[in-house]
Amino acid sequence: MIIDRESAEKLTTELISFPSVTGQPDVQRCAEFICDWFSAVGIQSKIVSFNGVPNVVATMGKKGGKRLLLDGHFDVMPPGDMNEWHTDPFNAVEKDGWLYGRGCADMKSGVAAAMLAMKNLQETQTELNGELVFYGIGDEETGSVHGTLALLAEYDRRFDGAIVPEPTDFCIERAQRGLRWIEFHVKGKACHAGRPHVGKNAVEQASKVIIALKNIQYDVSNSLFEKGLEKPSLSVNLINGGIRNNIIAEDCTFLIDRRLLPGETVENIMNQVRAAAESVMDEGFAFDMHLVNNGWDPFITDGNDPVVQTLVDAYKDVAGHAPVVRGKGGCTDASHISNAGIPVVILGPGSADESHTANEKTNTDRIAMTAEIIKKAAAVYLS
């Protein structure tokens, strides 16, 4: 039995109909829908909540053999400016083979693919000599502290491999860059703006530091990663300084977004930022810096690992050609799964370029094909 496009479009549309913005009540409603959907097709499921965040756990197969995890999130980002949308973001619309709506790419289409793969295995009574487990996550967009991280730490982390159907533009991704946010504070001296030579302008000094940070030359690269993302990157996207326009700014704080490649350490990147700042810091100024959160670690899964090879073979069988295998530039829960010692690979029907955008879309044929690939990979991996 082949998973068809109509089934893929229908389930994705149903998932999108829940405005499950992270932290909002519809996250619970969406979790209940997923849990009930699994139960209706004969797959054991339940909601596991941490600190009020609902997650869905569904399990099929036999105990005692290998265990494969399918991990995806059903929370979404707010739709933003509604005037930018051509359609209702929570009432999915299909046009010319594309489905439009919030979460189409990131990542309710991937969740639908995983759900349909398990349903098809159940309906065809495919024998699994191991367990196939689905984790549906309710807080990934804010870091999965009460989702994947909590499930792996407090519920169950005993898996031999994992597939994450995040948007990959239908490529297979066996690596991911990491992320750390660094808050950087410059301290100067306030004075009247009419006598600027008396003070020390923290905003101007911060601008010199930002330029120095952008001029850092990285000596690490990896050709496995997406084009343009083969090296680390740094950007400053939030800045706050000063209190009034006629007072020389005494303080300025900005937030650094630093993307790491596998092999880089947090200690190294902090030293790198500190050295760049010290190279341009003028006399009379001071600075301090600290990590904002634990972030996501970079990883590479061995290309010869069974979970990677099984997914590649299933892709060839379904798509009729070899997949592009690469590394992801952004961050997903695959990082947390890898940190738990579980070999993980990413494959999803959506495109990361569509994530969090107005008129977010994904190709309906790819949803069905992704479901079919996951189904075949799971059947072989757990045979």
Side-chain angles (χ1 to χ4, degrees), residues 84-246:
E84 296 292 323
W85 284 84
H86 301 150
T87 62
D88 180 346
F90 298 110
N91 184 15
V93 173
E94 190 276 336
K95 182 178 180 182
D96 299 327
W98 293 88
L99 194 65
Y100 292 81
R102 173 55 86 225
C104 269
D106 185 16
M107 61 167 292
K108 288 182 174 178
S109 60
V111 169
M115 293 169 65
L116 289 168
M118 294 180 71
K119 176 176 183 273
N120 191 274
L121 290 168
Q122 177 77 0
E123 291 177 340
T124 56
Q125 298 181 355
T126 302
E127 184 176 359
L128 303 177
N129 292 315
E131 282 188 290
L132 181 59
V133 180
F134 170 89
Y135 278 180
I137 306 304
D139 72 340
E140 191 271 351
E141 294 292 4
T142 53
S144 285
V145 172
H146 304 297
T148 295
L149 283 168
L151 284 168
L152 291 174
E154 302 180 42
Y155 184 77
D156 187 3
R157 63 187 297 161
R158 299 172 296 105
F159 298 102
D160 298 280
I163 299 172
V164 175
E166 281 272 10
T168 65
D169 205 19
F170 206 49
C171 300
I172 287 179
E173 296 173 336
R174 63 176 182 88
Q176 181 180 289
R177 296 201 304 174
L179 167 63
R180 288 297 187 277
W181 286 329
I182 306 167
E183 186 173 275
F184 194 101
H185 174 241
V186 178
K187 183 72 172 180
K189 179 183 177 182
C191 73
H192 196 290
R195 301 178 61 78
H197 63 286
V198 177
K200 297 289 183 181
N201 194 316
V203 170
E204 293 178 357
Q205 186 66 42
S207 69
K208 294 179 64 175
V209 174
I210 292 170
I211 292 171
L213 294 175
K214 293 298 293 182
N215 287 332
I216 292 174
Q217 298 297 308
Y218 302 107
D219 57 5
V220 58
S221 65
N222 192 315
S223 60
L224 178 63
F225 286 84
E226 299 176 62
K227 186 177 180 181
L229 301 175
E230 302 94 340
K231 290 191 172 186
S233 63
L234 181 152
S235 60
V236 174
N237 305 306
L238 288 173
I239 187 167
N240 182 50
I243 55 173
R244 291 186 63 177
N245 199 39
N246 63 344

Side-chain angles (χ1 to χ4, degrees), residues 346-360:
I346 311 169
L347 168 67
S351 168
D353 289 345
E354 294 289 331
S355 298
H356 307 173
T357 64
N359 305 304
E360 181 181 349

